[in-house]
Structure formats: C-alpha cells, structure tokens
Amino acid sequence: MNDITESRKPPVATTGILGWFRMNLFSNWVNSLISLFVLYILYQFIPWILNWTIFAADFKYNFNGEEIINREMCSRVLDPENGGACWAIIYVRFYQFMYGFYPRDEVWRVNLSYIMLAVAVVPLLFDKFPFRKHFLKFTYVFPIIAFFLLNGGLGLDPVSTNKWGGLLVTLVLGCTGIALAFPLGIILALGRRSNLPVISMMCTLFIEFIRGVPLITLLFFGMVMLPLFLPEGIDMDGLARVLVAVTLFQSAYMAEVIRGGLQAIPQGQYEAARSIGLSYWQMNMKVVLPQAIRISIPSIVNTSIGLFKDTTLVIIVGLLDLLGIGRGALADTTWLGLAYEVYFFVSLVFFIFTFGMSRYSLYLEKKLKTGINMGAD
Amino acid sequence: MSEDSIISLQNVNKWFGEFHVLKDVDLEVKKKERIVVCGPSGSGKSTMIRCINRLEEHQEGTIIVDGIELTGNLKNIDSVRKEVGMVFQQFNLFPHLSVKENITLAPIWVKKMPKAEAEELAMQQLEIVKIPEQADKYPGQLSGGQQQRVAIARSLAMKPNIMLFDEPTSALDPEMIKEVLDVMIDLAEGGMTMIVVTHEMGFAKTVADRMVFMDEGRIVEQAEPDKFFNNPESDRTKLFLSQILNH
C-alpha cells in the first residue's frame, strides 16, 4: 500500500530516450507519419550533402592526385557523375577571402588584429572571465591599436583601405558598426524619451529619417554626398565614409530596440531611483538601462546579426567584402562556374559568426534569468 | 509657517490635466512628528506626499521642506530628496541588483561613499529591519514583507530626516503586514519624522501624533488619534471611519 506522502516513479514509457521519442515524435498517428516523412527526407539529403561537401570533394588535389589550378581540373568538371565540390578555388584564393589585397609582407598586422580582437571581445562577453577588469582596459584601447595597426602610422607603413578586402572589411564594418551604434543608440533612445521637447524632437527626426531610408541609399549618401559636407581639403577615406553610413543606420535601429526596452521599465523604478537622490544620468546608468538592455538583448542581437549580413551591400559602392571577393573569384575565367563552392563558403563564414551571436544571446538570456526574477514587483 | 515646522504646505493646489487633485492643502509637520494620512481612494493623499519630494509637481502654493522651498530649481529638488526618504506601496526595489547593492547604490553614487563603508552601512540598515541574512539575495527571491523592509533600509541608508510612506502594507499578504509595521514602529520610536499614508488603523492609534483625513483633494479633518477615532468632527470622517472600522 502506498503511503500518502510517498512519491512514485513516473511510468517507464514517459522517461528516457524511448519516452522522448514517444512523447515528441510518435504521440499520435499524424505525428508519426510526419516524423517518418521528415526522417526519410533527412536520410536522403544528409548523406548526399556530406558526400558532396566532404567525401567526394576536392580540396587541393583532384581524384587523379594532381594539384588543381583551374576549373578544368576539378573532379566534378572531369566527372560530373561522381565529383563533389571543388574547394580548390577557396584554397587558391584563401588569402583574398581573408585579407583582400592587403600586402603580403604586412599581413601579420591583420592577423595580430584578429587575435587582439578575440582578446578584446571574449572577456567582454563573459563576466566570469579571469582578470576581466584588466582585460576590459585592453578592450577600450583595442580600437585605437587596431586602427593604427591596420591603417598604418606610428612607424608602420600606411596601407590604403582600398587594398583591404574580404573578411577583414566584413569584420571592420560589422564590429565597428555594432560597437559604435550601441552607445549612439542608447543616447538616441534616451533623447527620444526626454522631457525636453527640442532634444526629443531632434532624436525622433533623426531616427525616423534614417529608418525610413534604405541602407543602400545611405551608403550612396556616404560615398557621394558626405564629402560635399566636409571642409575643402579634407578627403575622407572611402571605408570611413561607408562606416559613417553603416553606424548611423545601425544606431537608429538600435535606438528603437532600446526604446522598446525602456518602455517596459515600470514607472516605480524611476520614482524609487529619484527618491533616493540619484541624478538623471545615475538613474539611467545604474537602474533603468541595465534592466532595459537586459530585456532588449534578443532584439539587440537580432539587429546586430542583420547589420553583419547587410555589410555585404557595400559591394555596390565598390568595397570588396567577403561576398565581393567571392564574386570577384567567380568572374575569374580560370575558375568560371564554381558558384556553388564560393557561395557555400561565403555563407558558411557568415553563418559561423551569426550563429555564434545567436547562441551567445541565448546564453545571456539564460544566465540573466537565473536568480533574478524580473517580474517580482 | 510656524517656526518649528520641518514640512510646510501652504495653499497647495494641483491638477492632473483638468482634474483638480489637491485643493488648497495646508499642512504643517513638526520635527519628529508622526502623521498618519487616511481617506478614501482618489482623495489625493498619495499625491500630497509625492509632492513633498517632488515626484509630483504642484502648480500653486508653496511647499517648504527643511527650510528649502520646492520650485523648478533642480538643485533644491536634489537636496530635498537627500533629506526625504520614501517607501512605496509596490516596494520598487531594483530587481537587477542584490539586496545589498540596492542599499549601497545611493550612498556610493550620491554621497560618494567608499564601497566598503557603504556596505557596512547597508548591513547596519539591514540589522535595523531585521533581515541581515538576506543581503546577497535578489529582490525576486524575497517575500513581499522582506522586500518592503529592504526598501525601508534602502531609504534609511541615505540618513533622511523625514520618511514618507505611501501605503507601505497595502500590497502585502496579511501575515506579512505586521513585520513591516513593527519596523515602522521602531523607526517612530527612534524619533523619525514620518508621514504615513495607510489604512492600518491599529498602527495609527499606536504611533500617530496626529491623524489627517483627506477627501476629494481637501484635508477635511486633523486631530490627535484619540479625538479622531472617538469623537470626529466632520460627518465625512465619521462615515469613513464607520466603513473601515466595522468589518
């Protein structure tokens, strides 16, 4: 006989792997049919894609063991039935994909910047990182170091930005755009909610104008019109002009995302902050923004991913980002017709970065949920 | 204004849009005096005490707190807020900060106190409200009564001369009301100047030096508790008391 306080084990069939399958895939006959159908599709598709991308693919040599130097030597051109992807085009052009036309003698500067970028960003992302405080000091000066390292100056040979390309341009645009747009967006969001009508109107006008215009238009604006506004004799670098456009664009979106977060903060939080004597900025920096940004994390990451992918649009103002280099490679007559490989590779690189961002946002959401019940009040 | 008043409201009027919330309100509060304000909902009692630390702006009349007149002058408002602590019905703790951080925030940023000193101060305040063991928890992990006591500790950490309570127990489950009232009674016995908006008449009888009854934006009656409860002057007060005492 069961004691009334005794707890029993759940029925066997609802736990473990079998239980999971039953609950999630075969709970009734419709689900079972759908599950079987999907499994069949996966069974057909996964081996094929693995075969094409890896097992039957050429990397440096074709199936005759010759080093591939043009498209005619690719296994899939020699034997369309059995050959897989011809990654040789990526292999041969890997330098361009990573650095564009950056001088080979100076490429250590880009590599060093990539490493320093990792050292600057990783401690920023994980608050349990050992000696985080000291690393963060480096994070703040990193943009300056990277600027001189990549651009030249301070004894380093100058490298004109029209030699930059590939992942380098994608990362410079993406990282700078996101990093600058975040504080700008916060200021715009606070400004739009300000009690001072002039400030609020100016911020609203700016946000609405930028949001109402396609990014491409802003890029053309940066390229063609920005120099007209600059004093004579000052020539702004092409990449810098694009950066201005990208940053303004992103900051308007960021502002709206953060404003959404601000609207979710109860009035009582402002009143409590004010009643203990905090000033406007102290209240925002210590009480309101930390909560508002926390709420906005999914949307912040969402717009950041959007921007990272939108940087590919710079191709139309003549900058060669990762996708631009890819299109250049396709236009090369020795490699004509390898579009699958190039687009697959470019997509993969983008996917690695954006998937990383998306996973990080999930990690953050989970971490911030534990221990802090935002809905307590 | 009389000389020993620490808070003085003279002829205060306030409107929310077209709605006249405070009508010619006059109130003098002496140092160390404990005032309990009661009245039906919508009578303007919360609005009145919120005007005292300028969470609401009054449109006519003068409000003087500790010798400082409340005007649009931001400096005056800041100095008044340092003098006046406030406790809200909904606690309004900062959910992203631990209990200790909630309390040390203002001392560190407003008074520029070193962190270690502020933390020591926070622990003292938590002793006063009898929950030092909760220092490292987050507000969401505490009961309502505990949260309200943290809110009191947070206000006390700024060493205010005056404490305002805006229905501090109205959002609490019945069994938690007492723990909050006990802390408030301790505070009153310690000589704090207090204005408390509440419907806890038992508390009012024990603690109040003076009862203030408001209705429709006016102060209808002010009296010592004994007289207020046993022999009120106005019919409106009688009706109100009969409604809240006889159930």
Side-chain angles (χ1 to χ4, degrees):
Chain A
M1 206 184 95
N2 278 334
D3 189 338
I4 196 156
T5 57
E6 188 192 341
S7 53
R8 291 191 299 129
K9 288 227 161 65
V12 180
T14 59
T15 57
I17 297 175
L18 270 180
W20 187 90
F21 269 97
R22 262 184 69 162
M23 294 254 295
N24 293 292
L25 299 181
F26 301 102
S27 58
N28 58 41
W29 69 270
V30 179
N31 280 358
S32 303
L33 263 183
I34 297 173
S35 299
L36 286 175
F37 179 69
V38 171
L39 287 174
Y40 175 75
I41 299 275
L42 290 177
Y43 169 75
Q44 289 291 316
F45 183 69
I46 290 180
W48 179 81
I49 190 114
L50 283 178
N51 192 47
W52 190 81
T53 54
I54 299 169
F55 300 120
D58 304 336
F59 289 90
K60 191 174 174 187
Y61 304 100
N62 66 12
F63 54 17
N64 296 328
E66 301 154 329
E67 188 170 343
I68 302 169
I69 51 167
N70 58 41
R71 72 177 290 271
E72 275 74 32
M73 296 178 73
C74 289
S75 301
R76 81 175 170 98
V77 177
L78 295 170
D79 178 4
E81 290 290 302
N82 299 314
C86 184
W87 298 120
I89 183 173
I90 310 296
Y91 178 80
V92 169
R93 297 216 165 216
F94 192 72
Y95 185 89
Q96 275 188 20
F97 275 113
M98 290 299 112
Y99 313 104
F101 304 96
Y102 211 89
R104 287 197 184 242
D105 292 343
E106 305 289 341
V107 79
W108 62 270
R109 284 153 55 174
V110 184
N111 287 331
L112 186 58
S113 304
Y114 285 169
I115 294 168
M116 292 199 314
L117 175 69
V119 177
V121 168
V122 172
L124 187 70
L125 299 184
F126 301 98
D127 65 350
K128 293 271 157 54
F129 200 83
F131 306 108
R132 182 166 186 254
K133 262 190 179 164
H134 302 286
F135 276 103
L136 287 187
K137 285 178 204 153
F138 174 72
T139 307
Y140 289 123
V141 290
F142 166 72
I144 304 164
I145 301 176
F147 173 80
F148 284 112
L149 208 50
L150 293 172
N151 198 45
L154 299 179
L156 292 169
D157 287 341
V159 178
S160 160
T161 54
N162 56 30
K163 295 212 172 87
W164 301 15
L167 186 64
L168 174 59
V169 162
T170 300
L171 282 181
V172 166
L173 287 174
C175 294
T176 323
I178 293 166
L180 290 179
F182 191 57
L184 259 175
I186 289 175
I187 291 170
L188 283 170
L190 290 176
R192 187 167 184 173
R193 287 168 58 90
S194 164
N195 292 328
L196 307 170
V198 179
I199 291 182
S200 142
M201 213 174 68
M202 272 169 43
C203 291
T204 309
L205 261 176
F206 177 86
I207 292 169
E208 294 300 340
F209 173 73
I210 300 272
R211 281 206 314 164
V213 171
L215 177 57
I216 296 185
T217 323
L218 281 180
L219 290 175
F220 279 128
F221 170 84
M223 270 305 183
V224 182
M225 305 221 353
L226 205 57
L228 300 180
F229 291 104
L230 292 174
E232 214 165 317
I234 294 182
D235 187 28
M236 208 172 165
D237 181 89
L239 185 67
R241 279 184 261 167
V242 166
L243 256 180
V244 170
V246 164
T247 305
L248 293 184
F249 178 78
Q250 182 67 358
S251 62
Y253 276 89
M254 202 60 93
E256 284 303 277
V257 164
I258 290 169
R259 190 169 70 96
L262 288 173
Q263 266 162 345
I265 306 300
Q267 194 58 30
Q269 293 289 307
Y270 291 88
E271 291 176 355
R274 277 300 166 86
S275 78
I276 54 172
L278 298 183
S279 70
Y280 175 82
W281 286 108
Q282 288 167 342
M283 172 178 79
N284 278 307
M285 297 307 291
K286 294 289 158 189
V287 175
V288 179
L289 282 171
Q291 298 182 58
I293 289 171
R294 196 166 289 183
I295 298 169
S296 328
I297 286 171
S299 315
I300 290 175
V301 174
N302 191 33
T303 47
S304 299
I305 288 176
L307 175 79
F308 191 74
K309 293 183 298 177
D310 282 350
T311 56
T312 49
L313 289 172
V314 298
I315 194 171
I316 58 158
V317 290
L319 293 185
L320 292 176
D321 75 321
L322 194 64
L323 184 62
I325 293 285
R327 290 185 59 88
L330 288 178
D332 180 351
T333 44
T334 46
W335 294 104
L336 227 48
L338 294 181
Y340 296 142
E341 285 83 350
V342 169
Y343 289 130
F344 191 96
F345 173 73
V346 170
S347 308
L348 185 71
V349 175
F350 273 103
F351 180 77
I352 288 169
F353 282 98
T354 52
F355 188 66
M357 288 191 232
S358 137
R359 286 282 111 180
Y360 176 70
S361 114
L362 279 181
Y363 154 83
L364 257 194
E365 281 170 49
K366 249 192 205 153
K367 193 186 77 155
L368 297 175
K369 242 183 221 160
T370 49
I372 305 167
N373 184 359
M374 297 279 293
D377 277 358
Chain B
M1 134 181 206
S2 68
E3 275 171 26
D4 50 352
S5 285
I6 190 167
I7 301 173
S8 162
L9 280 73
Q10 288 157 6
N11 222 1
V12 170
N13 279 282
K14 174 168 180 62
W15 290 262
F16 284 130
E18 290 288 304
F19 180 61
H20 200 171
V21 248
L22 295 180
K23 299 169 184 162
D24 300 324
V25 170
D26 287 301
L27 183 70
E28 301 286 327
V29 182
K30 293 194 202 71
K31 227 174 193 156
K32 299 195 176 181
E33 199 175 12
R34 279 100 52 166
I35 308 272
V36 169
V37 184
C38 60
S41 66
S43 60
K45 34 190 207 313
S46 288
T47 309
M48 180 181 77
I49 69 164
R50 287 159 61 87
C51 281
I52 293 172
N53 70 349
R54 194 71 168 190
L55 287 181
E56 302 286 356
E57 215 172 298
H58 61 286
Q59 283 118 0
E60 278 177 15
T62 45
I63 300 178
I64 298 171
V65 180
D66 213 7
I68 306 164
E69 179 170 359
L70 280 173
T71 57
N73 184 334
L74 293 175
K75 249 198 176 136
N76 282 359
I77 296 173
D78 280 346
S79 20
V80 164
R81 284 185 181 145
K82 276 177 212 166
E83 296 290 314
V84 180
M86 182 148 188
V87 175
F88 301 87
Q89 182 177 359
Q90 298 296 340
F91 331 134
N92 295 344
L93 292 178
F94 308 132
H96 62 301
L97 299 178
S98 72
V99 164
K100 202 197 275 173
E101 289 164 337
N102 262 278
I103 302 172
T104 57
L105 186 66
I108 289 175
W109 291 95
V110 180
K111 290 196 167 163
K112 313 289 174 209
M113 191 182 278
K115 195 173 172 224
E117 199 184 318
E119 282 181 354
E120 203 177 304
L121 173 74
M123 291 314 293
Q124 288 168 12
Q125 303 310 316
L126 285 173
E127 297 279 354
I128 292 175
V129 298
K130 302 178 192 114
I131 36 172
E133 73 283 359
Q134 309 289 358
D136 295 316
K137 289 200 182 158
Y138 283 89
Q141 296 167 304
L142 304 183
S143 72
Q146 290 170 327
Q147 289 194 50
Q148 192 60 297
R149 286 188 280 160
V150 174
I152 294 173
R154 179 176 68 180
S155 290
L156 291 178
M158 288 300 282
K159 303 282 176 201
N161 292 326
I162 301 161
M163 284 289 285
L164 307 174
F165 292 84
D166 187 3
E167 306 204 29
T169 56
S170 301
L172 295 177
D173 291 336
E175 72 265 34
M176 291 168 188
I177 291 176
K178 186 175 177 298
E179 62 187 54
V180 171
L181 292 181
D182 283 347
V183 168
M184 291 168 63
I185 291 170
D186 288 349
L187 210 56
E189 283 166 357
M192 176 69 76
T193 311
M194 293 163 72
I195 302 183
V196 184
V197 174
T198 187
H199 296 120
E200 294 297 329
M201 290 304 137
F203 169 81
K205 282 174 191 164
T206 359
V207 169
D209 294 316
R210 182 162 31 124
M211 298 294 300
V212 172
F213 175 68
M214 290 184 76
D215 190 24
E216 294 183 352
R218 284 181 205 283
I219 293 183
V220 176
E221 186 161 353
Q222 300 191 43
E224 282 172 15
D226 193 31
K227 177 165 181 295
F228 182 82
F229 287 109
N230 299 323
N231 195 13
E233 277 173 17
S234 110
D235 292 341
R236 189 66 196 88
T237 315
K238 280 178 200 156
L239 178 65
F240 176 75
L241 286 176
S242 73
Q243 278 164 345
I244 64 165
L245 293 177
N246 299 335
H247 65 83

